[in-house]
Amino acid sequence: MRLYEYQAKSLFKEYGLSVPKSILVHDLEGVRGAFASLAPPVAVKSQVLAGGRGKAGGIALVDDPSKAEHEAARIFALPIGGEKPASLLLEEGYPHEREMYLSVTLDRGERSYVAIAAAAGGVEVESMRGKVIRKVPVEGIDAGFAAEVASELKLPPGESSQFVKVLLSLERLAREKECELAEINPLAVGKDGTLMPLDAKVIVDDNALFRHPEFAKLHPEDEFEGEASRQGFAFVRLDGGIAVVGNGAGLVLSTLDLVGDAGGEPACFLDLGGGAQQDRVEAAIRLVNRLPGADRILVNIYGGITRSTDVAAGIRAVISGGGLKPLYARVSGAEEEEARRMLEGTAVKMYKTAPEAVAAVVKGA
Amino acid sequence: MMLPRGRDPVIVQNMTGRYGRLHTKLMLDYGTNVAAGAAPGKGGESVEGVPVYDTVAEAVAKTKARASVCFVPAEFTLAAGVEALEAGIELLVIITEHVPIRDELKLVQLAQSKGATIIGPNCPGIIVPSEKVKLGIMPAPSFSPGNVALYSRSGTLTYEIAGELTANGHGQSVAVGIGGDPINGSTPIQWMDFVQGMEETEAVVVVGEIGGDAEERLARHIEKSGYRKPIVGYIAGRHAPKEKKMGHAGAIIYGDYGTADSKIRALTAAGVKVAKTPMDVPRLVSEALG
């Protein structure tokens, strides 16, 4: 789960990291008052989860209240990666000389957490020069570890002691809150040499949320994503018209590829999980049938240990409720022929292979 | 690394749960020698005639099992994995989905220190058709004995591809689901090296998906090590959006990191024949085997 900047920054404060003074506003009415209680210049920052916020025009630096309102209005209306902000963060600007980079993140290939630091940050990590990467033990780091990173970065003594504190706090945050990523980019170096995190990116391990009830209430839920997750489905909303349902993440991903290659556009990704019991199939189809924007449904199920007849029974249960959108299905597995017979005479079209079902749903035939 | 062999005794952790019961039966039906179960507080019960003990240590003492299949829920998987490894289990197959990353890292470290192998978590397990043995949840009819080693980050997609291979006369020497999480107990490179030494394996099929850089690392390893057996690949998720977890915790693209294109390019450059669809895999295997 990715946190909004303002959430990540409140976590930073909890861990003793100083951040610029800021106020969160939920509507235009709040902008003037917030601006008045901050020292200009003030950064107006879109609170969206998508990356590339600055480049997309989601951040503006303003020095008077009417400009603040004008920019806030513009940014509230600006979708970034398809997402419009529900709130803006107004934050005091921090005049600085230099920008550094610091993160604690999972290195999947090395199967370890790593600390990544660079004396010159502000750009993308991949292209950062002179960056230092060190494996972080699962039980945590000490001041000696942090001091070594600082010395590798060749920081002057004043910066070095601050850097050690920042890295220790960030690592403790990442470890205790079970983050996949805790990132400060940029970590600004002020004119007096003070280090100040200007942006904060935190991604919490979804699978560890059961140990962190404090995160449970942070996100407003999309109606469909909320319901899907309550039912135990993996669900991602997409922009097209074909709702794609299947069992198993890899299988549904490969079905999206088949649809895309055939020129179709998926409305969603829904993974039932490995099994495909009747009630699960029924619940999944009912859910995507209500999805606005979806005008057709594609079901791709590899039966495995589930009988095809169970899947067919699930589909029949939805049909009997009425209002089912055109449904194209490929259901393989035991009792395949019997399943086909169960759906004969209904509006559901059955296919023997995934490519056949995909070709048909894309054509709308 | 070790492969399960025909009559090797195997234990099942959380055998008395819904999935533990179901798959104990299906593994027995296939031919796996499920010799004991472990479930705290359930000692003295039995499932399909197989005795259940309170602890892994007891089950191991009674059966001499070196392998375990773990169906323990995610909240308790770390504890169950530690229990198994401490009891001397050398091959631990963790089927459980949604295990926290830090718990996985701790298990990987413990397994490394003990010289044990973990498969998973969040995986279908391992099957050796010629030995009639499976440690996991894969449907037996999709698989057949043969000379193609198959390993994959997904479940049903593996069954689909195994089914296609089987239908086209390409049986499998071994099939492994390494897991769909960001951290895998055993890595693609480890399996690749392992099957290189397997005499009965003449070609390898690698099924990957978006997220991470396991396939890119594998490609570098193939080039550097001068891998000798022909390899066919398939990568799912060419049309997946960025920054979204696509079902598996590990299937997510950040920026340009973890895209299908990057993986396909890296594997292709290393000489791997990458199939565009799962249905295309058997044809490429036929060509590779000449």
Side-chain angles (χ1 to χ4, degrees):
Chain A
M1 180 176 75
R2 172 142 181 207
L3 304 189
Y4 291 101
E5 177 194 7
Y6 74 90
Q7 295 168 331
K9 281 187 169 162
S10 95
L11 210 50
F12 274 21
K13 281 194 259 182
E14 203 182 303
Y15 277 81
L17 290 160
S18 50
V19 291
K21 188 178 176 196
S22 66
I23 294 171
L24 187 72
V25 298
H26 298 282
D27 48 44
L28 271 182
E29 284 69 59
V31 172
R32 206 167 266 266
F35 183 88
S37 52
L38 296 168
V42 167
V44 180
K45 302 166 97 176
S46 179
Q47 297 300 291
V48 288
L49 297 175
R53 188 176 54 155
K55 265 187 213 153
I59 300 177
L61 199 64
V62 296
D63 46 22
D64 71 62
S66 63
K67 267 196 198 133
E69 272 186 331
H70 177 257
E71 287 297 327
R74 180 184 65 78
I75 294 173
F76 263 128
L78 176 74
I80 299 176
E83 179 193 358
K84 274 192 198 170
S87 58
L88 305 182
L89 191 67
L90 270 66
E91 184 177 72
E92 288 185 356
Y94 185 75
H96 54 279
E97 305 264 270
R98 220 174 75 234
E99 295 186 341
M100 296 176 35
Y101 174 90
L102 182 63
S103 69
V104 174
T105 185
L106 181 70
D107 184 327
R108 295 170 55 161
E110 292 295 331
R111 292 192 294 183
S112 172
Y113 277 88
V114 290
I116 305 177
V123 288
E124 262 138 46
V125 199
E126 293 75 25
S127 54
M128 221 168 266
R129 284 200 283 177
K131 67 185 166 201
V132 173
I133 304 178
R134 286 219 161 199
K135 281 194 187 181
V136 171
V138 74
E139 54 281 355
I141 61 169
D142 57 17
F145 178 106
E148 281 174 35
V149 176
S151 108
E152 266 194 76
L153 289 172
K154 302 188 179 64
L155 297 181
E159 284 176 29
S160 175
S161 59
Q162 292 182 65
F163 178 86
V164 167
K165 280 187 201 147
V166 172
L167 176 50
L168 284 172
S169 296
L170 191 68
E171 190 279 331
R172 191 165 65 85
L173 185 160
R175 175 162 37 88
E176 291 181 356
K177 298 296 181 185
E178 303 196 60
C179 304
E180 288 178 40
L181 171 72
E183 181 187 73
I184 306 174
N185 188 24
L187 175 59
V189 185
K191 290 190 172 35
D192 61 354
T194 304
L195 300 191
M196 181 70 80
L198 295 191
D199 198 1
K201 186 170 171 184
V202 170
I203 302 174
V204 180
D205 178 3
D206 290 316
N207 289 346
L209 287 175
F210 70 90
R211 287 195 282 243
H212 301 281
E214 69 272 24
F215 293 124
K217 293 192 191 93
L218 286 184
H219 275 203
E221 262 179 7
D222 171 287
E223 177 203 347
F224 284 91
E225 289 180 5
E227 186 175 337
S229 105
R230 275 189 295 281
Q231 307 230 24
F233 301 137
F235 177 87
V236 176
R237 222 163 152 161
L238 302 164
D239 302 329
I242 303 170
V244 179
V245 175
N247 62 332
L251 185 68
V252 187
L253 265 180
S254 91
T255 311
L256 288 189
D257 289 346
L258 292 174
V259 170
D261 288 345
E265 299 206 11
C268 71
F269 164 106
L270 191 148
D271 169 15
L272 290 166
Q277 300 83 351
Q278 178 180 335
D279 55 331
R280 309 266 303 149
V281 172
E282 187 185 334
I285 295 174
R286 275 191 203 287
L287 182 73
V288 300
N289 198 45
R290 290 194 288 117
L291 190 67
D295 52 15
R296 281 163 274 175
I297 300 169
L298 171 66
V299 173
N300 184 13
I301 289 186
Y302 191 85
I305 60 169
T306 313
R307 289 174 310 171
S308 307
T309 41
D310 285 351
V311 178
I315 297 175
R316 277 218 333 208
V318 187
I319 297 173
S320 68
L324 180 63
K325 291 172 183 170
L327 189 147
Y328 302 74
R330 175 268 183 153
V331 182
S332 83
E335 302 175 10
E336 217 172 298
E337 287 307 315
E338 171 98 39
R340 208 179 298 276
R341 275 197 296 277
M342 283 171 67
L343 291 170
E344 249 168 41
T346 72
V348 173
K349 297 191 171 66
M350 295 279 277
Y351 300 86
K352 278 201 182 282
T353 68
E356 288 170 309
V358 167
V361 74
V362 170
K363 254 187 17 205
Chain B
M1 296 268 163
M2 69 178 237
L3 274 197
R5 293 289 173 192
R7 297 303 296 162
D8 287 353
V10 173
I11 68 166
V12 171
Q13 289 178 260
N14 197 18
M15 183 182 260
T16 53
R18 189 158 69 97
Y19 287 100
R21 279 178 193 279
L22 171 65
H23 289 288
T24 294
K25 177 177 186 325
L26 294 173
M27 283 189 275
L28 285 166
D29 288 349
Y30 188 62
T32 307
N33 178 16
V34 182
K42 302 289 167 86
E45 294 186 15
S46 71
V47 172
E48 302 290 323
V50 177
V52 177
Y53 300 93
D54 283 319
T55 66
V56 177
E58 282 174 83
V60 165
K62 296 283 187 208
T63 63
K64 306 277 176 288
R66 294 158 66 205
S68 172
V69 187
C70 177
F71 291 96
V72 173
E75 296 90 317
F76 312 110
T77 299
L78 173 61
V82 169
E83 185 193 351
L85 295 167
E86 295 293 356
I89 290 296
E90 292 167 48
L91 177 61
L92 175 61
V93 179
I94 304 176
I95 306 298
T96 314
E97 189 179 357
H98 301 308
V99 178
I101 290 168
R102 286 191 175 267
D103 295 0
E104 297 179 343
L105 289 173
K106 288 174 186 168
L107 285 173
V108 166
Q109 269 185 14
L110 183 61
Q112 279 171 343
S113 75
K114 293 193 173 290
T117 300
I118 295 178
I119 298 176
N122 190 12
C123 81
I126 181 168
I127 184 168
V128 184
S130 64
E131 298 274 335
K132 282 274 163 213
V133 60
K134 68 165 181 156
L135 274 58
I137 60 172
M138 57 282 276
S142 309
F143 297 84
S144 61
N147 57 9
V148 177
L150 166 64
Y151 66 85
S152 165
R153 280 163 64 183
S154 81
T156 43
L157 183 59
T158 315
Y159 318 155
E160 172 102 281
I161 290 174
E164 293 282 331
L165 286 169
T166 294
N168 286 279
H170 296 298
Q172 302 85 42
S173 54
V174 58
V176 186
I178 63 169
D181 281 353
I183 299 299
N184 306 129
S186 40
T187 65
I189 291 177
Q190 288 173 304
W191 284 108
M192 205 69 176
D193 287 347
F194 181 82
V195 301
Q196 167 133 290
M198 259 180 100
E199 216 172 289
E200 53 272 54
T201 296
E202 287 173 30
V204 188
V205 173
V206 180
V207 180
E209 62 190 24
I210 54 165
D213 60 357
E215 291 79 9
E216 287 86 344
R217 280 172 176 263
L218 177 66
R220 286 198 294 274
H221 180 75
I222 291 166
E223 286 180 300
K224 260 204 334 231
S225 67
Y227 204 82
R228 294 185 307 277
K229 292 180 178 174
I231 309 165
V232 172
Y234 171 72
I235 304 290
R238 283 181 288 111
H239 288 270
K242 291 185 176 187
E243 310 262 340
K244 297 277 185 191
K245 269 189 187 141
M246 304 303 283
H248 283 152
I252 181 164
I253 299 168
Y254 291 118
D256 294 325
Y257 175 71
T259 64
D261 284 346
S262 157
K263 294 165 189 303
I264 292 167
R265 268 203 313 274
L267 289 172
T268 304
V272 175
K273 303 284 180 230
V274 180
K276 197 172 180 197
T277 71
M279 300 79 213
D280 224 15
V281 170
R283 182 180 60 80
L284 293 180
V285 169
S286 299
E287 287 175 15
L289 288 172

